[in-house]
Amino acid sequence: MAHAKTSYVCLPCRASYKQPYPGPGHYDRSCPRCAEPLIHVGSAFAAPRQRDNAAWRVLSLLLHSGVRFHKSCCGGPGYRPRTLSEARARMAYARTNGEPFAKALVRYELP
């Protein structure tokens, strides 16, 4: 039986790689193109097209805020903003209410 794989992303190269889950040694992985460290994003990740600048900016914002794409018990990872305007609205809400960015970015709706 094959081992399950998860996604890793290199933001400078705008590349996504499927690799086996980290084992007991939990070693860091590096990008085969630029040798920068890869970011573990989770198994429910779907990479945007390489030319889609706005989508990669939103993805970078999510990853730097600590949001990942792991499957939950009931299916997918839940809501993630897809456009810069959605992400900006949630970050403005977080600033005014003192909520952490990671929590505000994964809200389905703003109150």
Side-chain angles (χ1 to χ4, degrees):
M1 183 170 168
H3 294 285
K5 292 189 174 188
T6 186
S7 295
Y8 288 83
V9 167
C10 178
L11 291 174
C13 294
R14 293 184 179 180
S16 172
Y17 302 99
K18 290 273 190 181
Q19 296 186 358
Y21 277 95
H26 186 60
Y27 60 96
D28 294 329
R29 294 186 167 98
S30 59
C31 177
R33 292 181 189 174
C34 68
E36 291 289 322
L38 293 174
I39 301 170
H40 182 221
V41 291
S43 59
F45 176 72
R49 293 186 183 263
Q50 223 173 12
R51 298 181 288 249
D52 193 352
N53 294 335
W56 280 97
R57 285 182 65 192
V58 172
L59 178 63
S60 176
L61 178 87
L62 289 170
L63 295 178
H64 289 300
S65 296
V67 177
R68 299 295 187 261
F69 297 82
H70 298 287
K71 292 181 183 175
S72 66
C73 64
C74 301
Y79 174 80
R80 301 293 187 265
R82 290 182 171 255
T83 64
L84 283 171
S85 61
E86 289 176 350
R88 285 183 182 140
R90 280 160 175 71
M91 290 183 73
Y93 172 80
R95 281 188 198 101
T96 58
N97 293 349
E99 186 174 5
F101 286 145
K103 187 174 179 183
L105 286 169
V106 296
R107 287 180 165 274
Y108 279 98
E109 294 180 12
L110 294 176

